[in-house]
Amino acid sequence: MHEDAILNAIYKYTLNKKNQDFDVKVIGLLVRIYGELQIVKPYLEKNYEQMISNLKIYGLPQKELDKLNNSLKKYQNDNDMNAFLTVYKIVIDMIVYKYKQEPISPEEVKYFESVFFEGLHINALNKYWDKALYKMNKNLALEEKNNNTYSLKGKSLEDLKNIDENLYNRKKREVDDYNAQIEEKQSLTSGNGFVDLLLYLSFIATEIMAGALIAINFIKR
């Protein structure tokens, strides 16, 4: 099957990459995900079947590609917002498929967000994108644990509650464990290096004395 809405959009993309029409922006996203060699080159060579196959190289099902084409066509014809959201959600799924095995970089995140949210604030799309980020980065590293922040988007740990309860609980445990370690270390020091040294020597002396007493008692036996 020829994805005619996708093909028409690629045609417009080849005429002007800077075209701000929605369908051309979508092709720009696909090019960023798959590369021009996978999308534009087979199109120019009229090898449409290869181009369609390339869109599935990371595991996207054919039915999702069909839905992308149909939703893109519906938005082109009717400016239907549900179709708009469906298109972007499928593109986000494509990104997730690509980055299943490796973390997505902050640079890529910045690019995709600049397209998805340009002049828009659609709560459903924002939540869908956030969930996708957590799927791609299940081992999110905390940048400043005692400030309860995590990498990539810089939101507070509390924000995870609205996205992924399991991830929130896991990250909260990490933060709590980290803070407990810091507090434990701080409780073992006076904050004064000289005093700490005296405390340490006192501790060593006590251990030596205790050892000596044990030895004397052993000899008496």
Side-chain angles (χ1 to χ4, degrees), residues 12-29:
K12 289 172 65 176
Y13 176 88
T14 60
L15 294 178
N16 181 10
K17 295 179 183 179
K18 295 182 179 180
N19 186 321
Q20 291 300 296
D21 289 349
F22 176 68
D23 54 347
V24 177
K25 287 183 181 180
V26 170
I27 300 306
L29 288 166

Side-chain angles (χ1 to χ4, degrees), residues 112-196:
F112 289 128
E113 289 184 345
S114 71
V115 180
F116 292 143
F117 307 116
E118 183 181 16
L120 298 170
H121 181 73
I122 303 175
N123 196 43
L125 183 61
N126 189 61
K127 284 189 174 182
Y128 199 83
W129 174 240
D130 279 346
K131 287 182 179 180
L133 285 175
Y134 304 136
K135 286 178 185 176
M136 291 183 282
N137 295 270
K138 290 183 178 178
N139 297 315
L140 287 169
L142 298 173
E143 291 177 334
E144 300 175 35
K145 295 188 180 184
N146 51 349
N147 287 334
N148 289 358
T149 62
Y150 58 92
S151 66
L152 210 57
K153 297 198 72 176
K155 294 182 180 178
S156 71
L157 185 63
E158 292 296 317
D159 291 332
L160 288 175
K161 282 185 176 179
N162 298 323
I163 306 300
D164 187 327
E165 188 71 24
N166 292 328
L167 182 60
Y168 164 76
N169 291 332
R170 179 154 49 85
K171 288 302 168 187
K172 188 174 186 307
R173 283 195 297 272
E174 288 183 23
V175 171
D176 290 343
D177 289 345
Y178 177 85
N179 288 334
Q181 290 174 21
I182 294 298
E183 289 174 5
E184 184 179 356
K185 287 179 181 178
Q186 289 175 343
S187 68
L188 293 175
T189 177
S190 68
N192 183 299
F194 179 71
V195 173
D196 287 343

Side-chain angles (χ1 to χ4, degrees), residues 15-150:
L15 294 178
N16 181 10
K17 295 179 183 179
K18 295 182 179 180
N19 186 321
Q20 291 300 296
D21 289 349
F22 176 68
D23 54 347
V24 177
K25 287 183 181 180
V26 170
I27 300 306
L29 288 166
L30 298 186
V31 166
R32 186 72 176 231
I33 298 167
Y34 298 96
E36 285 205 350
L37 288 178
Q38 303 289 344
I39 307 298
V40 179
K41 186 174 183 290
Y43 170 81
L44 293 175
E45 295 173 349
K46 297 185 178 181
N47 190 352
Y48 304 130
E49 295 303 323
Q50 182 61 54
M51 187 208 72
I52 298 305
S53 177
N54 291 343
L55 289 172
K56 299 184 288 184
I57 58 175
Y58 298 119
L60 186 78
Q62 178 64 45
K63 64 179 182 179
E64 289 300 296
L65 194 54
D66 294 339
K67 188 189 296 185
L68 174 66
N69 184 67
N70 294 333
S71 298
L72 189 59
K73 185 187 300 183
K74 186 170 180 59
Y75 183 77
Q76 288 170 333
N77 294 335
D78 306 324
N79 285 330
D80 183 88
M81 278 307 296
N82 286 329
F84 173 93
L85 283 173
T86 299
V87 168
Y88 270 167
K89 284 181 177 180
I90 293 172
V91 172
I92 289 172
D93 289 343
M94 289 173 158
I95 296 169
V96 172
Y97 277 113
K98 178 178 180 180
Y99 289 101
K100 259 184 176 178
Q101 305 302 323
E102 57 181 289
I104 185 171
S105 72
E107 291 74 25
E108 288 291 281
V109 171
K110 185 176 180 180
Y111 168 77
F112 289 128
E113 289 184 345
S114 71
V115 180
F116 292 143
F117 307 116
E118 183 181 16
L120 298 170
H121 181 73
I122 303 175
N123 196 43
L125 183 61
N126 189 61
K127 284 189 174 182
Y128 199 83
W129 174 240
D130 279 346
K131 287 182 179 180
L133 285 175
Y134 304 136
K135 286 178 185 176
M136 291 183 282
N137 295 270
K138 290 183 178 178
N139 297 315
L140 287 169
L142 298 173
E143 291 177 334
E144 300 175 35
K145 295 188 180 184
N146 51 349
N147 287 334
N148 289 358
T149 62
Y150 58 92

